[in-house]
Amino acid sequence: MHGISAHGVSGDLDDAEVSSVATVLIEPKERWFNLELRELWERRELLYFFAWRDIKARYAQAVLGTGWAIIQPLAAMAIFTVVFSYWAKLPSEGVPYPLFAFAALLPWTLLSKSLERSGSSVVSESNLIKKVYFPRLIIPIAATIAGVMDFLVAFVLLLALMLWYGIGLTWGIILIPVFIVMTIATSLAVSLWLSAINARYRDVAGTIPLLSQLWMYASPVVYPVSIVPEQWQWVYACNPMVGVIEGFRWALLGTPMPNMGLFLMTFMIVSVVLFGGAVFFKRMERTFSDVV
């Protein structure tokens, strides 16, 4: 048996052979549409680790723990009820306004919180990016899906509120997972663009709260789609959260079923933005180690 040299390999190898054995060169791919989805799937356990780490870190030293997942949408629901129902007298499609608002706040809170975490996720993981190679797409994906835990906690509260107001479940509830996936996909589609740009221009992260605020009022969170003039409905439907929020209300509260064309437009827009964001992120990731 050959001894082990100072190079850490068999003593029969010269320096050139040692170099060829010990060196692994990782180069960015030149193809535009190479998303390396197979590699992403092979490293899926890393995705679970990142998501679980984010959840634990968020509640590790929080006094109320997961209670924040209830307090935030509940407080928003109370304010919206006073301002937009009691004062502004906005319609709520035949259901109690607190339920009307809370059902919309569920997907909206999932979206907005995911945007906050994912938009700055690449910069937050700068130390790891500089030291270890792994599919960088894992970072914004994990930051996005970590918000599902908050959603599930708030969803239980919504079911309790429905019981309080005497609103029964409909068969549409079986489609709730579809709307959850659409919400996550919408958030990820935007986050891929924002996180990649924020890696180079750090002031992008500061615009995310403003973007979320403007986006919320451009979505049917506090008002129904029916108050939007009919001639502008097709423009309004270009906002993917319109179809998602209306779908949540219909599936949970039995409000009028949205136009199926709304869902089709939502799916198409999200698919295009998501694919474009993934391609853009992969092109930008080759510079992450230099700029973060």
Side-chain angles (χ1 to χ4, degrees), residues 43 112 252:
R43 305 292 181 87
S112 61
L252 290 169

Side-chain angles (χ1 to χ4, degrees), residues 2-15 17-19 21-22:
H2 298 292
I4 303 298
S5 71
H7 294 292
V9 295
S10 174
D12 289 347
L13 299 178
D14 57 24
D15 290 342
E17 291 173 320
V18 169
S19 178
V21 170

Side-chain angles (χ1 to χ4, degrees), residues 208-225:
I208 293 178
L210 176 61
L211 172 65
S212 297
Q213 194 74 9
L214 294 176
W215 195 354
M216 186 190 75
Y217 288 109
S219 304
V221 176
V222 300
Y223 55 85
V225 173

Side-chain angles (χ1 to χ4, degrees), residues 24 28 114 237 266 275:
V24 177
S114 296
T266 296
F275 179 75

Side-chain angles (χ1 to χ4, degrees), residues 105-162:
L105 284 168
L106 277 181
W108 180 255
T109 302
L110 174 59
L111 174 84
S112 61
K113 295 301 181 183
S114 296
L115 281 180
E116 290 180 14
R117 290 188 295 267
S118 302
S120 58
S121 58
V122 172
V123 175
S124 300
E125 302 292 350
S126 59
N127 291 333
L128 197 58
I129 288 175
K130 293 177 180 179
K131 296 177 181 178
V132 182
Y133 172 76
F134 58 92
R136 308 309 192 201
L137 276 171
I138 287 178
I139 297 175
I141 294 175
T144 299
I145 65 176
V148 175
M149 178 65 71
D150 289 353
F151 173 89
L152 295 177
V153 173
F155 185 78
V156 174
L157 176 60
L158 176 60
L159 295 179
L161 288 173
M162 291 173 61

